[in-house]
Amino acid sequence: MLKIVILCGGNGTRLWPISREDMPKQFNKIFGTSSLFQETLLRNQKLFEISEAIFEVVSNQNYLFLLKDQAQEIQQNISSFILESCPKNTAPAITLSALNSKPDDILLVLPSDHLIKNHQEYITDVIKAIDMAKKDFLVTFGIKPLSPHTGYGYIQSSNGIVKKFIEKPDLKTAKDFLHSGNYYWNSGMFCFKAKTFLSELQHYTPEVFNNISEIFKNTPKEKDYLRLSEQQSKTIPSISIDYALMEKSKKVFCVESTFDWNDIGSFDSLSEEFIKPNSCYTNPTKTIQYESNNNFILSEKMVATIGIHDLIVIDTIDSLLLTKRGESQKVKDIIPLIKKDFPQLTQQHNITHRPWGTYSILLESKNYKIKKIVVKPNARLSLQKHFHRNEHWIVVSGTAHITLENQNFELHTNESTYIPMGKIHRLANEGKIDLVMIEIQMGEYLGEDDIVRIEDDFKRC
């Protein structure tokens, strides 16, 4: 069986402020109607016509509802989930998937946040990788470089024979790699038999193999889930698959690929998709650039520039990022500083997704906050209470089913109710259309952590 393993646990910090902890880049619909995660599912559906295949996703447990919602949007079934409490890099994630497979299963391991456009060339290279995996090779995909990129690792390969892996080079070295013709960008995509991978890992990095094997053995198996506890996750070493195995094994084969690939790992990489000749992507930002050139601007409003050059400008409702072109890889370095003083800006978008729907902050001050709340059909929030705020609820559309202490009642369009501080309450939508509400919070503390959950359909604390 072919198991398409999608690694989907990253936070995408290099694309802040578009990417946040609660809604990282793989779930954002940057290019239109589909997210990068959805595009990953869609382009691999062709493999189901070639072989018996299933999808397995390895991700943070907090993203389970996003994974299910986005897969359902495109009507794609995901057979199993491996859920971590905290990310521990690629080697543990892939090892868990291999242990969760039959020995002869072929694993096609893919990041969830890469962009690949010429799908037929991609499928051709994947079929080649599967054939080599059946011969007990650990297959990696090298991408023919188009520029001296310093943000990627490289693979030195000749006719598929891997000589070495190279970390991100300086510009001079990257130029030498480009001209040599036998260096390829390391795509982070792999293909191998489960038993071949595990045997090689046990041989070269036994401490990682033994650690993950013990955790796997002691983790209860649910029907479609393997869910690691927080305590288990803390004992897992954080190590990449390249360090743990690929740089050491003698069984590595490189599929030297030419399909159009972009890891969207920075705003410089993202900007390339809008400026390529015959690009199918159009920058939605309206700009007037006067005596300005070579700027990449993404904004939800019109932006006018005068006399600026070589800048990246990313403007969202609550944050503004300015960086020089070629420097956007460093966005990840500023995140700890932002997190220290403005933690909510690294975690949440203005629109926050929850298992039951979404909420948007319309206006916020020290003692009040106004939200738009959208509850999906047949969904409900937790039974909860707050210690520091009162709430006023107004129905915009749909029908709200309210629990307030021992009362149960309905609210319709233009009707409202008041939720006093400390009172146990719940909001539910039992209808067939979205319930849209306006919530006005008032109190001395309005943080999202002022929630005591009495009962929750999604098993949150």
Side-chain angles (χ1 to χ4, degrees), residues 48-71:
F48 285 66
E49 301 173 13
I50 299 165
S51 172
E52 182 183 2
I54 62 170
F55 281 113
E56 180 171 83
V57 176
V58 186
S59 184
N60 189 298
Q61 63 181 359
N62 294 330
Y63 301 149
L64 179 59
F65 72 95
L66 284 170
L67 293 165
K68 287 187 166 184
D69 282 354
Q70 294 206 348

Side-chain angles (χ1 to χ4, degrees), residues 326-345:
E327 301 278 339
S328 67
Q329 287 277 349
K330 296 179 182 178
V331 170
K332 71 179 189 303
D333 299 326
I334 202 174
I335 294 298
L337 302 178
I338 300 170
K339 197 165 189 174
K340 179 181 177 182
D341 293 329
F342 306 98
Q344 74 281 6
L345 295 182

Side-chain angles (χ1 to χ4, degrees), residues 213-254:
S213 296
E214 186 67 20
I215 287 173
F216 179 80
K217 183 175 70 175
N218 294 315
T219 300
K221 314 299 186 296
E222 303 174 45
K223 182 181 177 183
D224 302 323
Y225 306 98
L226 182 70
R227 194 188 302 260
L228 275 62
S229 68
E230 185 175 354
Q231 183 177 1
Q232 288 174 316
S233 296
K234 287 179 179 178
T235 68
I236 295 175
S238 180
I239 184 170
S240 74
I241 190 60
D242 287 338
Y243 282 132
L245 180 57
M246 302 302 286
E247 295 178 5
K248 302 173 182 178
S249 175
K250 308 302 182 187
K251 292 186 175 184
V252 179
F253 182 89
C254 180

Side-chain angles (χ1 to χ4, degrees), residues 297-315:
I297 301 172
L298 278 181
S299 175
E300 298 181 10
K301 50 185 172 286
M302 193 280 288
V303 176
T305 68
I306 302 173
I308 66 170
H309 313 280
D310 306 318
L311 289 183
I312 290 172
V313 181
I314 309 297
D315 181 34

